[in-house]
Amino acid sequence: MAVAPVAAPVSAPAAAAVAAAPVAPVAAAPAGPVRRGLPRVKGGEPWPPAGFAAVAAAAASVADAPASVIAVADPPAAPVHDVSTPLPFEPTAFPGAEAIRWNAERRTRTVPVEAPEPARIGPFTKGQWAGVVVIGGAGLLFAAGMVVLFVRWLLSLPLMQDFTTTYPGEYHLPEGAPVGFPAWLGWQHFFNVFLMVLIIRTGLTVRREKRPTVFWSPRSNPARKISLTLWFHQSLDILWLVNGVVFVVLLFATGQWMRIVPTSWEVFPNAITAALKYLSLDWPTEDGWVNYNSLQQLAYFTTVFVAAPLAALTGVRMSGIWPKNAKRLSQAYPVEVARAVHFPVMLYFVLFIIVHVALVFATGALRNLNHMYGGSDQVNWTGFWIFVASLVVIAAVWIAARPLVLAPIARLFGKVSGR
C-alpha cells in the first residue's frame, strides 16, 4: 500500500496564529527601466518594448512574518548513483584526433583564410594556359602527323598518281611572260611588308584602346577629334593605298601581272596537286624565278586583287573620309557591314604573312630571299642580309611609334591635344 508524503508537523497555536495574522497585500513596484536587447523578429523593434519596466513583488509581509509561522519542508535528498562499477555496455564513440586537437587549441584556434583566386588571362589562369599550350600543341602535332601519313597514302594510289602527272602543280605562262624580278618589285615588296606590319599593329591597338590619352583634329574641322593611334593607323592606310596603286600600275605596265593572275582554268587542279604536295611535306619542285606554282598564284591573286580592295573599302567606310551627309549611300553600305568584314580581312593578312614567311624559309631560304630582295636567282647571302636589314628598320619604327615621336609629325597636318 502506497504511503502519501507527510508534510512537516505544525503546532495548533502556530496554525491559529497564521490563520489570524493579517495578510499584507502584494504591491507591484517598478524596479526601474529594463535594458533593451535585440528584436524578436527580423526588422522589428528591440525587445522588450519601450516603457516596459520590471515589477518586483512586495514580499515584506512574508519577510516580516515570524519564523514560527512559516512551515519549511526539508529539501528532497539527491539520488545517489553507484559509479564504482563500469557501464554494462561497450562504448562505441571515441574522440578523434581532430576533437582532441580542438579541445587542446580551442582558445587559440583561428578560422583558416581561403587562398585568393588566381589571376586569369581570359578564361584561364597562367597555369591552365600552359596546360592548354602543351596539350593543344601535342594534339596538333599528332593531327599533323596523321594528315601527312594520310596524304602520302593518298598520293600513292594509281588514280592520284595519274592526276598529279596530268596536273603537276603548275601550268605554262602565256608567251611573253617576263622572267625574274625587277628591282622595283623588291622595293615594293619591302614597303608593303613595312606598312602592313605597322597597320596590323596600330589596328589591334585601336581595337582595344578605350581611353586615348592623345587626340588629333584636322585644321579644317577642330571639333572632329580622333585618337593619335587612329590617326597613325589611317595615315599608314593612305601610304599603303598609294604604294598599292603604284604596284598595280607597274605590274600591268611590265607584264608581271601574268605571274599572279590566272590565265587558264588549269590553275585549279594544279593548285590541288600543289596543296597535296605541301601537306605530304614533299615540297613542289617549281622555279619561282620563272613561274609560281598554281597554289601560290591563287594566293597572291587573292591577296592583291581581293583582300587588299576589301581592306581599303571597309577602312574608308569606317574613317572620317566617308561623307556623313550621303544618307542613301550610308544605308546601302552600313558601317556595321564594314566592321564585320574589316577585322576578318586583317586576320587573313596575318595568316598569309605567317604562312608565306614559313614557306620561304622551308623551301630554300637563301634562293627565295634573293628572289624577293636581291634581284637574282643565285644562292648566296645577299638577299638574306637585305631581309635582316629590313627587319631592323621595321623593329625600329615599331618601337619609335609612340606619342612622343608621333605628336610632332601629327602637328604638321593638324592639332594635337591631350583631351
Side-chain angles (χ1 to χ4, degrees):
M1 179 178 181
V3 179
V6 179
V10 181
S11 61
V18 171
V23 179
V26 180
V34 178
R35 183 177 179 181
R36 304 176 71 189
L38 297 174
R40 290 190 173 185
V41 295
K42 186 178 181 181
E45 295 183 356
W47 183 265
F52 184 89
V55 178
S61 59
V62 178
D64 295 338
S68 60
V69 299
I70 300 175
V72 178
D74 293 334
V80 179
H81 299 284
D82 184 9
V83 295
S84 61
T85 58
L87 295 174
F89 52 84
E90 293 291 335
T92 57
F94 300 91
E98 180 65 20
I100 296 174
R101 186 172 67 86
W102 171 263
N103 292 330
E105 302 176 359
R106 61 184 181 275
R107 294 187 179 181
T108 59
R109 182 173 178 178
T110 57
V111 179
V113 180
E114 295 184 0
E117 183 70 17
R120 293 181 177 272
I121 304 175
F124 304 118
T125 63
K126 292 182 179 179
Q128 291 172 340
W129 274 116
V132 169
V133 171
V134 172
I135 297 175
L140 289 176
L141 288 176
F142 178 78
M146 293 298 100
V147 170
V148 171
L149 293 177
F150 173 77
V151 173
R152 285 179 176 270
W153 168 82
L154 186 65
L155 292 176
S156 65
L157 299 178
L159 178 64
M160 292 305 301
Q161 290 180 354
D162 294 340
F163 180 84
T164 55
T165 301
T166 306
Y167 303 104
E170 62 178 342
Y171 63 94
H172 296 291
L173 296 179
E175 294 292 336
V179 176
F181 300 94
W184 67 264
L185 197 57
W187 283 103
Q188 281 286 319
H189 188 271
F190 164 73
F191 285 136
N192 187 64
V193 174
F194 173 81
L195 294 172
M196 281 300 303
V197 170
L198 294 177
I199 286 173
I200 292 172
R201 183 232 180 177
T202 55
L204 292 175
T205 304
V206 170
R207 186 176 180 86
R208 64 172 180 266
E209 190 176 40
K210 295 182 179 180
R211 294 183 179 180
T213 57
V214 185
F215 294 87
W216 177 87
S217 57
R219 293 191 181 93
S220 59
N221 186 11
R224 176 179 173 268
K225 291 185 177 182
I226 60 176
S227 69
L228 186 64
T229 306
L230 181 58
W231 171 84
F232 188 43
H233 179 74
Q234 294 181 353
S235 301
L236 292 171
D237 287 340
I238 294 174
L239 294 176
W240 181 67
L241 288 175
V242 172
N243 183 71
V245 170
V246 173
F247 173 74
V248 172
V249 170
L250 292 176
L251 203 65
F252 283 94
T254 59
Q256 289 286 337
W257 65 270
M258 287 182 283
R259 297 171 60 88
I260 64 173
V261 177
T263 57
S264 172
W265 290 107
E266 293 182 1
V267 65
F268 295 106
N270 279 290
I272 294 175
T273 299
L276 291 175
K277 289 182 177 180
Y278 280 121
L279 291 175
S280 66
L281 300 183
D282 182 16
W283 309 119
T285 56
E286 81 284 345
D287 186 4
W289 185 255
V290 177
N291 186 15
Y292 292 130
N293 67 58
S294 295
L295 189 61
Q296 285 179 298
Q297 190 179 52
L298 289 177
Y300 296 150
F301 174 81
T302 302
T303 302
V304 175
F305 296 102
V306 178
L310 279 177
L313 292 175
T314 54
V316 168
R317 179 63 182 90
M318 294 186 297
S319 69
I321 301 176
W322 187 264
K324 298 184 180 298
N325 298 327
K327 295 183 179 180
R328 292 185 178 180
L329 186 60
S330 298
Q331 291 176 354
Y333 184 19
V335 68
E336 292 78 12
V337 175
R339 289 172 181 166
V341 175
H342 196 72
F343 185 69
V345 171
M346 186 273 294
L347 294 180
Y348 168 81
F349 277 110
V350 173
L351 181 63
F352 174 81
I353 292 172
I354 294 174
V355 175
H356 178 63
V357 173
L359 290 178
V360 164
F361 280 89
T363 58
L366 295 180
R367 187 179 185 187
N368 291 331
L369 290 174
N370 257 351
H371 290 176
M372 292 186 293
Y373 293 99
S376 69
D377 192 32
Q378 298 178 1
V379 180
N380 54 41
W381 292 87
T382 303
F384 174 80
W385 292 117
I386 296 176
F387 170 70
V388 171
S390 69
L391 292 182
V392 172
V393 173
I394 294 173
V397 177
W398 179 295
I399 297 172
R402 301 174 181 273
L404 184 64
V405 178
L406 296 177
I409 302 174
R411 288 193 183 96
L412 301 175
F413 306 94
K415 181 182 178 181
V416 178
S417 61
R419 59 178 181 176

